Amino acid sequence: MPDIKLALLGFGNVGRALARLLLIKRDELRRRYQINWQVVGITTLRHGGAIDPGGLDLEQALTLAEAGKDLSPLSLQPATIDGEIFVRLCGADILFENTPVNYQTGQPAISHIRTAIESGMHVITANKGPVVHAYQELTELARSRKVRFFFESAVMDGTPIFSMWRETLPAADLLAFRGVLNSTTNLILTLMEEEKSFDEAVVYTQEIGIAETDPSGDIQGWDAAVKVAALVTVLMRVPIKPAQVTREGIEGLTLKDVKDALAAGRRWKLVCQATRVDDGVHASVGLEQVEPSDSLYNVIGTSSSITFESDVLGDLTITEANPGPQTTAYGLLADFINAVHSSP
Amino acid sequence: MPDIKLALLGFGNVGRALARLLLIKRDELRRRYQINWQVVGITTLRHGGAIDPGGLDLEQALTLAEAGKDLSPLSLQPATIDGEIFVRLCGADILFENTPVNYQTGQPAISHIRTAIESGMHVITANKGPVVHAYQELTELARSRKVRFFFESAVMDGTPIFSMWRETLPAADLLAFRGVLNSTTNLILTLMEEEKSFDEAVVYTQEIGIAETDPSGDIQGWDAAVKVAALVTVLMRVPIKPAQVTREGIEGLTLKDVKDALAAGRRWKLVCQATRVDDGVHASVGLEQVEPSDSLYNVIGTSSSITFESDVLGDLTITEANPGPQTTAYGLLADFINAVHSSP
């Protein structure tokens, strides 16, 4: 079994968690899946890039990046932080595209992925942007090149959602879904129930690293809307854009609203939902007060949950507790194994 | 694409629900999965058997069985209700083994399945008996004959559990699980919360057809213990028998116990669990009072739920609401599609 050559475009929290998981699972991948791998390229805006067709020392790359140092000493050739050039030069079999999400256009990730697929690479990403802005094009391109474009970690981290529908629910028709899909806003709501102000709660989510410096994408419901659009596009096979999702954020909610709901035995949740209708799909993100009997009532803090209504099963609910970069990394690893084992 | 020949051993609620689902999904299987099928044999203790290598009229078989009539008029050759002989004669590519579960030995299902695999058939079953009593033997036999032995519906009906772990959670190590897996006892507990006596509740579960005439397999926790053993054997790769599961049933619980728990804000649940330990697995079925914050608190009536703890994800919970013969049938259909599409 020849080594499978991996390239990591993006080496932030998720990219590094993937690197650590690859090292932890190296023996198991060899033993159980007959997969040997080496990382031939890493690039990142913050730590520069490194390419070595003979295989980089991944532990050393982790050490350098975690010490805030540049990766270029590991490189056999002049390093690049240009994603496009990196993809062309890296010589990998599989590209992990982990650049930051761009809600509006999905770029530059879409270009990176397109170039990689055209070069015959499987592409695996946790990036929602390319899924909502270019799912059909990239999937068809991948099919024509006999490679895979997988993105399990784009929604609910490594929890199997896309792969569950793809692999384990054949011939099932998704009629509707409802869930809590944005960790940051859900944690903010939980903190407000613990009497923290909205602003204090936002600062806390930034301090623990789950919200961006500009948290508006989460708070205004954009991140949730992008996830709804991704699920509708892929699982309901109705391509919609985030702007087509009726959207409400949590910014209007006051501490009093939260207290009043609690006093009445209810909790506010930012609920994502979509329902198939005659002429397409109705999709929305909005605040709801949920009762204790609602499956979303116990989804607190950074947990998330989704209930699927289909033509063949009763309501099927998947709930994920305690996500983190390492669970996102696991979704990428699972996609890697499945891409290698399912390729045509 | 030549027709795939199916044989149905067992044509009770589940077998007939499968037949109806096959008819409903016929066009979709052709269009999306390039699968054409015909049923070449059906046999059942109650309605006799029918074999026709050219394909039986499945709608007519359903009509006859539902009218309580014998299937033999459909048969081209002398019919048999002997499972073993049926398997040898039917000439199918895939056997659906849906005879009643035998908790103690797994027979005669194990013999049927062995014969079918040796004849080169994929075997698909909702029967837990062969999974706990012969998983390793049958899986290795299937591997050697390059066919599949799938049993998604053996636990939580058609909800993807075994296939989820097989297809979507590669290289994940299952450390522990905890859940409610027996619908009959869970419904009895819910009915007792609604002030029905234990005996009234048992009668009700029999009337709606989810409990057997002799409901002791459910009530004493055997059905739950068999499911725990199946999950441990397959997903934790530690073969254990139902007798090795520490087991408690619900027969000792009084209406007063149920009321006292409710008054304290709690609910009694028959909890299935298993935890990996140094020298194997600790597995149990037992009564527990659960708090409202427990994910099992809202699992009422015939619903079921399981939480998986692994080395790579946070707690992952799968909950199924409103199961029935049609959801079990869907698990069989999903196994059928996956067996055909994954065969080596």
Side-chain angles (χ1 to χ4, degrees), chain A residues 69-262:
Chain A
K69 292 188 181 152
D70 200 277
L71 299 177
S72 53
L74 300 179
S75 195
L76 259 203
Q77 55 195 75
T80 177
I81 56 164
D82 181 293
E84 201 66 23
I85 298 174
F86 173 79
V87 172
R88 288 181 203 282
L89 289 180
C90 69
D93 304 306
I94 299 188
L95 176 72
F96 290 97
E97 213 292 345
N98 288 314
T99 60
V101 62
N102 175 331
Y103 293 132
Q104 279 70 45
T105 68
Q107 291 290 12
I110 293 173
S111 299
H112 301 156
I113 294 172
R114 194 185 289 127
T115 303
I117 294 175
E118 283 173 347
S119 312
M121 301 180 202
H122 300 296
V123 177
I124 292 158
T125 185
N127 195 324
K128 295 170 281 289
V131 181
V132 287
H133 292 289
Y135 168 70
Q136 231 152 349
E137 177 213 327
L138 295 174
T139 298
E140 278 162 28
L141 185 62
R143 194 173 292 135
S144 75
R145 301 300 163 108
K146 300 198 189 313
V147 295
R148 300 293 179 180
F149 167 48
F150 283 167
F151 41 79
E152 185 53 73
S153 292
V155 176
M156 284 177 73
D157 314 289
T159 301
I161 300 295
F162 295 110
S163 60
M164 185 183 75
W165 278 89
R166 189 180 68 231
E167 307 291 343
T168 76
L169 294 171
D173 194 13
L174 179 57
L175 306 175
F177 64 80
R178 177 172 178 272
V180 163
L181 299 175
N182 179 267
S183 292
T184 303
T185 48
N186 204 53
L187 177 57
I188 291 171
L189 294 174
T190 299
L191 291 169
M192 288 172 78
E193 290 175 358
E194 294 163 4
E195 316 240 333
K196 283 215 167 45
S197 75
F198 182 82
D199 291 340
E200 284 169 345
V202 170
V203 168
Y204 178 79
T205 62
Q206 290 171 317
E207 279 169 3
I208 65 165
I210 69 163
E212 308 287 326
T213 317
D214 172 8
S216 59
D218 289 320
I219 288 166
Q220 296 174 2
W222 276 111
D223 179 78
V226 169
K227 286 171 174 163
V228 168
L231 292 170
V232 169
T233 299
V234 178
L235 303 183
M236 296 176 128
R237 292 174 282 168
V238 176
I240 65 168
K241 293 278 178 279
Q244 291 169 270
V245 178
T246 307
R247 183 182 45 79
E248 176 189 24
I250 64 163
E251 64 273 35
L253 205 70
T254 65
L255 211 49
K256 180 172 182 309
D257 295 330
V258 172
K259 275 186 196 163
D260 288 350
L262 271 188

Side-chain angles (χ1 to χ4, degrees), chain A residues 25 33 169-171 311 317 330, chain B residues 25 33 169-171 311 317 319 330:
Chain A
K25 294 285 185 182
Y33 301 93
L169 294 171
D311 63 335
T317 303
Y330 173 71
Chain B
K25 294 284 183 181
Y33 300 93
L169 294 171
D311 63 333
T317 303
T319 305
Y330 173 70

